[in-house]
Amino acid sequence: MRTNTVGLIATAALALVLTACGTTPEPDQAAAKPSTTEATLSPEARASARAAAGIPADPDTATATAYIADLNAIDGDIVHGKDEKAISRGLNQCRSIKDGKDRAKLIDLTNSRFSSPNHPEGHGLPKAERILDVVHKRLCPGF
């Protein structure tokens, strides 16, 4: 069921993109028309789309603070001052957890996802395993 829902969302998004490619608006029209992105969706529509894709809701302030603190305790370069990016990466990692990928694959994905300017290839598998545990504990414990 999840795969079908995600497939339908992807198909709908592709249809929107292909439809948009069919015309070229004048420069002033392009600036006036908002694109259909997550930023322009209503909060309800955004939450619904995220839930359908297996991505949990944004954490509350206390949860986000604890999550960032846990990541910084592993290595301050994981977050590197970009809290929102770390939260976004964690929420995307939750989708991989929910999809039922095996632990070794999850650790590899975590290492790829949580890169930084000083660690463009990730922070290594031992740290990635700890990051994965923090993501699971703080952002998606029900998965």
Side-chain angles (χ1 to χ4, degrees), residues 2 8 14 24 34 57 80 88 94 113 118:
R2 272 183 277 162
L8 289 173
L14 181 58
T24 306
H80 58 279
S88 176
C94 286
R113 219 168 239 146
N118 293 328

Side-chain angles (χ1 to χ4, degrees), residues 63-101:
T63 302
T65 300
Y67 169 71
I68 297 299
D70 287 353
L71 292 178
N72 282 329
I74 296 169
D75 184 329
D77 191 49
I78 295 168
V79 177
H80 58 279
K82 305 215 182 262
D83 294 6
E84 291 300 317
K85 185 181 267 188
I87 291 169
S88 176
R89 288 176 177 177
L91 293 173
N92 285 327
Q93 188 65 26
C94 286
R95 175 159 187 231
S96 297
I97 293 168
K98 187 172 185 176
D99 285 347
K101 297 190 182 334

Side-chain angles (χ1 to χ4, degrees), residues 2-141:
R2 272 183 277 162
T3 304
N4 290 340
T5 304
V6 173
L8 289 173
I9 291 170
T11 302
L14 181 58
L16 284 172
V17 170
L18 292 176
T19 302
C21 292
T23 60
T24 306
E26 296 299 317
D28 58 320
Q29 290 176 336
K33 290 184 180 179
S35 64
T36 305
T37 64
E38 192 171 303
T40 61
L41 294 175
S42 71
E44 295 81 17
R46 182 174 183 237
S48 178
R50 288 176 66 167
I55 300 172
D58 288 331
D60 61 31
T61 302
T63 302
T65 300
Y67 169 71
I68 297 299
D70 287 353
L71 292 178
N72 282 329
I74 296 169
D75 184 329
D77 191 49
I78 295 168
V79 177
H80 58 279
K82 305 215 182 262
D83 294 6
E84 291 300 317
K85 185 181 267 188
I87 291 169
S88 176
R89 288 176 177 177
L91 293 173
N92 285 327
Q93 188 65 26
C94 286
R95 175 159 187 231
S96 297
I97 293 168
K98 187 172 185 176
D99 285 347
K101 297 190 182 334
D102 69 36
R103 184 151 175 91
K105 180 65 177 169
L106 289 171
I107 293 167
D108 188 51
L109 285 170
T110 303
N111 191 49
S112 299
R113 219 168 239 146
F114 286 83
S115 60
S116 70
N118 293 328
H119 295 91
E121 301 298 319
H123 294 270
L125 297 181
K127 284 185 184 177
E129 185 170 14
R130 293 174 60 199
I131 294 167
L132 175 61
D133 291 340
V134 168
V135 167
H136 196 202
K137 175 183 175 185
R138 297 291 184 187
L139 299 182
C140 48

